[in-house]
Amino acid sequence: DTAVSQTPKYLVTQMGNDKSIKCEQNLGHDTMYWYKQDSKKFLKIMFSYNNKELIINETVPNRFSPKSPDKAHLNLHINSLELGDSAVYFCASSQGLQGSPRYGYTFGSGTRLTVV
Amino acid sequence: AQTVTQSQPEMSVQEAETVTLSCTYDTSESNYYLFWYKQPPSRQMILVIRQEAYKQQNATENRFSVNFQKAAKSFSLKISDSQLGDTAMYFCAFMNGGAQKLVFGQGTRLTINP
């Protein structure tokens, strides 16, 4: 009974392609996030959505576009993929309108994207 | 902006030993939360322990405990009786009370040797 599920777990694609990563949470959380983990394991926030509304948009190239059809889903679409986009992308969710600092986040298992 | 620093890129100990991972952070806020996450080779991010800044008592979860020094802005993780399954990357993370994002440190790769 997965709490935050991401698909696919692995994605290998060529430069210039467009790809999407899907995320769904069944925890009833209001806020969802996308984080990027680079090759040095550093985790950095990309976006957050609260109940379908964009809350945080860090300095991410506009080739990356999040979409939240409802509060249980947050998808990430990436256009014109570049070699530097290779990373692990994590979806996460938290409770409450502004996250729930008390409890932290629940993370998905990550999507390893490899651009060749 | 808040920053989180983990000064130990890698650590290695023998099974059953106690190990302490260091974390310092920088903030001007008084209300905030601190976390330790574990990332085993499976890649899953697992919450290990959390601490609320307004609580003076250090958090504990079974073999895991923290040493929270608010004035020094230090938040170290102690793992007692370490087990092979504790082998993982460990990330310290910070969140403001009113903020909406977790800020992570660079991580410490911990290896437990048999």
Side-chain angles (χ1 to χ4, degrees):
Chain A
D1 195 16
T2 306
V4 180
S5 61
Q6 291 179 233
T7 54
K9 293 193 186 312
Y10 298 92
L11 185 54
V12 181
T13 187
Q14 290 188 326
M15 284 175 55
N17 284 350
D18 302 339
K19 290 293 178 184
S20 292
I21 306 172
K22 296 186 176 181
C23 180
E24 175 182 6
Q25 54 95 2
N26 62 5
L27 298 166
H29 287 171
D30 292 313
T31 310
M32 296 183 71
Y33 311 82
W34 279 109
Y35 273 77
K36 179 180 180 180
Q37 186 174 42
D38 63 24
S39 58
K40 295 184 178 180
K41 301 291 188 182
F42 187 65
L43 281 149
K44 192 172 189 303
I45 192 168
M46 300 173 69
F47 304 102
S48 78
Y49 269 74
N50 173 257
N51 203 13
K52 302 193 295 178
E53 180 184 349
L54 181 66
I55 302 297
I56 293 176
N57 184 347
E58 294 286 297
T59 51
V60 177
N62 57 16
R63 298 182 294 103
F64 291 78
S65 54
K67 285 187 171 48
S68 182
D70 55 60
K71 76 172 193 178
H73 295 83
L74 180 61
N75 303 322
L76 183 65
H77 188 76
I78 315 170
N79 289 327
S80 303
L81 278 155
E82 301 177 356
L83 293 176
D85 297 332
S86 294
V88 178
Y89 292 85
F90 283 96
C91 178
S93 71
S94 64
Q95 195 172 4
L97 286 177
Q98 293 192 15
S100 183
R102 185 183 302 268
Y103 301 110
Y105 297 176
T106 301
F107 283 85
S109 56
T111 296
R112 181 178 293 281
L113 171 66
T114 303
V115 182
V116 298
Chain B
Q2 287 80 27
T3 58
V4 179
T5 302
Q6 294 178 247
S7 59
Q8 304 151 312
E10 294 190 34
M11 295 187 72
S12 178
V13 299
Q14 296 299 119
E15 195 175 5
E17 290 183 347
T18 295
V19 59
T20 299
L21 309 183
S22 301
C23 173
T24 58
Y25 57 94
D26 184 27
T27 183
S28 58
E29 302 291 329
S30 59
N31 180 29
Y32 53 88
Y33 301 82
L34 295 160
F35 306 85
W36 279 97
Y37 278 85
K38 168 185 177 180
Q39 186 179 38
S42 67
R43 202 169 69 202
Q44 183 70 49
M45 293 290 290
I46 302 165
L47 179 62
V48 174
I49 198 165
R50 60 179 182 259
Q51 175 80 42
E52 290 135 324
Y54 64 84
K55 288 188 176 178
Q56 294 190 348
Q57 187 173 3
N58 289 324
T60 62
E61 289 285 346
N62 300 313
R63 298 183 295 107
F64 299 87
S65 61
V66 298
N67 183 4
F68 174 47
Q69 301 289 327
K70 191 170 184 179
K73 296 180 182 175
S74 169
F75 183 62
S76 61
L77 174 69
K78 186 172 84 170
I79 306 174
S80 303
D81 185 27
S82 57
Q83 300 174 1
L84 297 179
D86 296 332
T87 292
M89 284 288 292
Y90 285 82
F91 293 95
C92 180
F94 170 99
M95 181 189 285
N96 267 344
Q100 296 144 335
K101 64 179 181 181
L102 271 175
V103 176
F104 285 90
Q106 307 93 320
T108 296
R109 185 180 300 277
L110 176 65
T111 301
I112 310 298
N113 298 307

